[in-house]
Amino acid sequence: MEQSAVSVDTVALRFWAGDDTVTLGVAPREWEPFRGRLALPGVLLGRGEQLVAAARRALTTKLGVPDEAIGAVGQLATFDEPNRDPRGPTLSIAMWAVVDEFAPAGQTATQWCSIGNPAKLAFDHNRILAEVRPLLSETLWRRTDFTRVLTGKRFAASRAVELTAALSGAAPDPGNLNRTLKAVPGLVRTEERVRVKATGRPAVVWEWSPDQ
Amino acid sequence: MEQSAVSVDTVALRFWAGDDTVTLGVAPREWEPFRGRLALPGVLLGRGEQLVAAARRALTTKLGVPDEAIGAVGQLATFDEPNRDPRGPTLSIAMWAVVDEFAPAGQTATQWCSIGNPAKLAFDHNRILAEVRPLLSETLWRRTDFTRVLTGKRFAASRAVELTAALSGAAPDPGNLNRTLKAVPGLVRTEERVRVKATGRPAVVWEWSPDQ
DNA sequence: CCAAAAGTGTTCAGTATACACCCATGA
DNA sequence: TCATGGGTGTATACTGAACACTTTTGG
């Protein structure tokens, strides 16, 4: 029986040392339909290919992210609107991925836009983002693999505030977030302080224990 | 590009007036592989077919459930183990469905087995069931469409106890469950009592308000 | 000393869970 | 009247959120 095509569209997040918010990797489409329009990195699922492998392939081929820089990948939800792709019926399995810091090789058209206020994207990608964002927000500080790669091994408490604000859409109470961090398994509070903002008290440094 | 096949495998639940527990619809496979072995009703997703439509088709063709008796359908998760089907790489999208009471038309080989202790099934269907069961348990009393069809329009409180026990795997505290029901939107407590068990106090009848 | 940022302590609402006790029925 | 099942009331724990207040810094 002839089937719908299956594409794997990935929400690729980064939150690097220089970034002041979480951003989302998008790239202009090379071919029709929507040629030139920004879109989530997506690939057609290969025969026998696993979802995580397809998501990684989307990031390397569409965003130019080196494979070593893909820190963690997971499943989100499936979208089955039959007219979502003008080429014909296409299932979209949405995945998330977190991108470690890397040095871009040469010029790429990849853009990193805010998740809270994303660019206008091709297909139904804005709808996918809207449905998927609350899931990501709930995953933060709960799933270690996801969170660990976003924060990096060591991070200041104020970075945790920015990260939470970016994913949830609202600034968290810093005190409550502090207690949330205390309860995250594998996360330990160091004696160290760092200055992050121009003024005010310096922030505590948190660190993931080595086995995480 | 050649792709993996996509099958939609459905966890079809029923909890009819005569049933004393929730059961799961399974049917022996007609063809190889696993010919004769019991399996979840599954179909290959047709081109342009939506997931809910495929799940309904699985129930009508594999279990002999008339379409009007399919009360509610929803998405669960996707399984991508490449060797899960000996015919070749096949993605399985797991769905749930709730089956209303109907009169079976003629002989069918469909069996209804307990979800807590299901038969040995073909493919990785037992694994799918194991992963999916906690999701179903969490959905009960939260998603109205799911719960409403399982209970029927009117039901005794003791039926709610049986239902919860079947999905969660442990008997709930009847008093606490009572308060849970009180908090479910669209569910109202009637003045009526009915005798369910041979002895003991008769149970209160709960009823879904018409607009649900 | 003041403003800004970080962190602590406390309170309060909502939920989940446990369990003692009371109520209604058939035998 | 007693065993059985149904239902109420109450205590306890945990979680999330709100917020006043203290601490540490730069200017």
Side-chain angles (χ1 to χ4, degrees), chain B residues 31-51:
Chain B
W31 316 106
E32 292 296 342
F34 300 109
R35 179 166 183 172
R37 284 270 296 280
L38 292 171
L40 295 180
V43 294
L44 288 179
L45 184 69
R47 183 172 165 81
E49 188 177 35
Q50 290 198 277
L51 298 175

Side-chain angles (χ1 to χ4, degrees), chain A residues 100-177:
Chain A
D100 268 325
E101 202 149 353
F102 67 91
Q107 285 285 10
T108 59
T110 299
Q111 292 183 27
W112 295 89
C113 65
S114 135
I115 12 160
N117 188 20
K120 191 150 192 288
L121 302 177
F123 302 106
D124 58 350
H125 287 181
N126 285 101
R127 185 185 168 229
I128 291 180
L129 269 185
E131 294 216 11
V132 140
R133 198 180 167 202
L135 303 178
L136 295 173
S137 173
E138 273 175 32
T139 307
L140 185 65
W141 310 119
R142 292 188 210 276
R143 281 196 56 166
T144 314
D145 55 350
F146 178 78
T147 311
R148 163 67 236 257
V149 185
L150 272 176
T151 61
K153 181 156 176 55
R154 296 159 55 78
F155 61 95
S158 35
R159 289 285 286 171
V161 173
E162 290 169 359
L163 176 55
T164 308
L167 285 186
S168 78
D173 182 298
N176 292 337
L177 181 58

Side-chain angles (χ1 to χ4, degrees), chain A residues 165-188:
Chain A
L167 285 186
S168 78
D173 182 298
N176 292 337
L177 181 58
N178 216 320
R179 280 181 286 267
T180 302
L181 295 185
K182 214 176 292 181
V184 173
L187 196 51
V188 292

Side-chain angles (χ1 to χ4, degrees), chain B residues 5 12 17 21 58 64 77 81 86 89 93 97 106 114 116 131 137 147 165 174 181 196 200 209:
Chain B
T21 184
E81 222 326 301
I93 303 182
S114 135
E131 294 215 12
S137 174
T147 311
L181 295 185
V196 180
S209 55

